[in-house]
């Protein structure tokens, strides 16, 4: 399997900078999701890797082989697009077989590969059906199967399950996970859907404005964002941010904390943001040590029977995601605690401040 290496990759469309000097390695036999909002450059980056776009500058390597100027056919990759690309008028089996015939594989090996991917994708009872008679989701399964059956070193997926129904989406995600582990192919998967990325990826490369702002495993990326964008973009809803004026001081007070909190502000920022995810906020109908009083303005039931609470504290609005028992128990007045181990500080430029938060000792 191949490692993908990009060196100072840049793509300009006139005055628009789509990819901004990206240098990164995508590890072999891993699924890396390029995640970000529309227009962030993720599809352009994937198309450059595929050879469908030429970079303005920079290089693309598969292992130690420079492929920047090679065609997609010369790169020996598989691709699956947002809309299914199939050969209409022929059977599912023949759709899966055609690329294998082009690769001059023996019939026995062709059948083995087709049976393998058909079983994982749930196509084993449809192999003799004309692909023109199938629904959109099943055609996309055929497109995925055809790319995987060739067993190329690299497979690129461009939002392949965006346009299928919810049930088929779950089936395809499960199948893609199995296929990636079984065949050990290097996979890059482009999506704007964080749930897809969190489910499928070994690593996520989070993109914004043509730059990869953070690359990490899904759990670390979610729990420890490097900047405000990562905290906001990931999560439903995203991270809470409370602005503080510190003017180079190394202490935080209200509205979130009952006692001042000390930290090492190495950048001497004048303004910082305190970030905490809604599910990490502790809420109670009763006062407790370390909790501050707030006013519940609204609550609603969300996925899994949890409650999403909107709580106002000294003019600041916080979102808290709490268990059903807590959501049912709270009334207008609530008590809120932000555990320090769950709090992240961000500086004026939106980047994470590496520091330890410590409650200040009371004055004697």
């Amino acid at each position: 399997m191949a490692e993908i290496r990009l060196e100072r990759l840049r793509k300009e469309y006139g005055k628009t900078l789509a990819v901004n000097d990206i240098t990164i390695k995508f590890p072999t036999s891993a699924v890396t999701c390029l995640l970000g909002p529309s227009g962030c450059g993720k599809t352009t980056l994937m198309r450059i890797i595929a050879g469908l776009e030429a970079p303005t500058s920079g290089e693309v390597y598969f292992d130690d082989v420079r492929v920047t100027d090679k065609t997609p056919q010369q790169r020996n990759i598989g691709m699956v697009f947002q809309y299914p690309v199939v050969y209409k008028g022929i059977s599912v089996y023949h759709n899966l077989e055609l690329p294998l015939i082009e690769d001059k594989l023996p019939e026995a090996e062709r059948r083995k590969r087709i049976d393998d991917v058909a079983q994982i994708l749930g196509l084993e009872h449809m192999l003799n059906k004309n692909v023109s008679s199938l629904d959109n989701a099943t055609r996309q399964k055929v497109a995925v199967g055809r790319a995987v059956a060739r067993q190329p070193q690299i497979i690129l997926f461009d939002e392949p399950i965006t346009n299928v129904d919810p049930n088929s989406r779950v089936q395809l995600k499960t199948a893609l996970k199995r296929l990636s582990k079984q065949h050990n192919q290097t996979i890059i998967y482009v999506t704007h859907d964080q749930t897809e990325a969190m489910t499928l990826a070994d690593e996520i490369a989070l993109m914004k404005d043509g730059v990869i702002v953070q690359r990490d495993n899904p759990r670390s990326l979610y729990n420890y964002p490097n900047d405000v964008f990562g905290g906001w973009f990931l999560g439903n809803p995203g991270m809470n941010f409370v602005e503080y004026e510190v003017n180079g001081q190394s202490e935080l007070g209200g509205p979130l904390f009952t006692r001042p909190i000390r930290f090492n502000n190495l950048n001497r920022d004048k303004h910082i943001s305190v970030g905490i995810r809604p599910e990490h906020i502790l809420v109670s109908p009763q006062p407790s040590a370390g909790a501050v009083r707030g006013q519940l303005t609204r609550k609603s039931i969300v996925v899994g029977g949890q409650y999403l609470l909107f709580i106002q504290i000294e003019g600041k609005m916080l979102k808290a995601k709490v268990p059903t028992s807590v959501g049912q128990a709270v009334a207008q007045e609530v008590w809120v605690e932000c555990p320090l181990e769950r709090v992240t500080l961000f500086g004026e430029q939106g980047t994470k401040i590496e520091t330890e938060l410590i409650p200040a000792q009371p004055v004697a």
Side-chain angles (χ1 to χ4, degrees), residues 1-151:
M1 301 300 109
E3 175 189 80
I4 301 171
R5 178 160 50 95
L6 311 180
E7 293 188 355
R8 297 193 63 82
L9 212 61
R10 186 179 185 88
K11 181 64 178 179
E12 300 171 2
Y13 297 100
K15 294 183 179 180
T16 301
L17 182 58
V19 175
N20 188 1
D21 294 329
I22 288 178
T23 297
I24 192 172
K25 292 180 181 179
F26 297 105
T28 182
S29 303
V31 180
T32 303
C33 280
L34 294 178
L35 174 66
S38 297
C40 70
K42 56 188 185 294
T43 294
T44 300
L45 183 62
M46 188 204 70
R47 288 175 63 84
I48 293 173
I49 295 170
L52 298 172
E53 295 271 1
T56 303
S57 60
E59 304 291 351
V60 180
Y61 292 87
F62 293 172
D63 288 330
D64 293 324
V65 178
R66 179 180 178 276
V67 298
T68 313
D69 302 320
K70 292 184 180 294
T71 66
Q73 292 75 19
Q74 292 170 326
R75 298 185 190 201
N76 186 30
I77 59 172
M79 286 198 68
V80 180
F81 298 93
Q82 188 171 347
Y83 296 95
V85 178
V86 294
Y87 304 113
K88 295 184 178 180
I90 61 176
S91 69
V92 170
Y93 188 95
H94 201 27
N95 261 273
L96 298 173
E97 186 183 34
L98 276 175
L100 307 182
I101 293 174
E102 291 178 7
D103 290 343
K104 297 181 171 56
L105 290 180
E107 183 179 356
E109 178 64 16
R110 299 200 303 266
R111 175 166 288 281
K112 180 179 180 300
R113 292 192 186 188
I114 291 169
D115 289 345
D116 178 32
V117 298
Q119 190 274 325
I120 293 174
L121 290 165
L123 295 172
E124 62 267 44
H125 303 302
M126 302 181 183
L127 291 175
N128 294 323
K129 286 190 175 182
N130 189 312
V131 76
S132 300
S133 68
L134 304 178
D135 60 35
N136 196 57
T138 307
R139 290 182 187 178
Q140 190 66 304
K141 289 182 182 180
V142 175
V144 170
R146 191 173 62 243
V148 172
R150 283 191 56 239
Q151 297 184 7

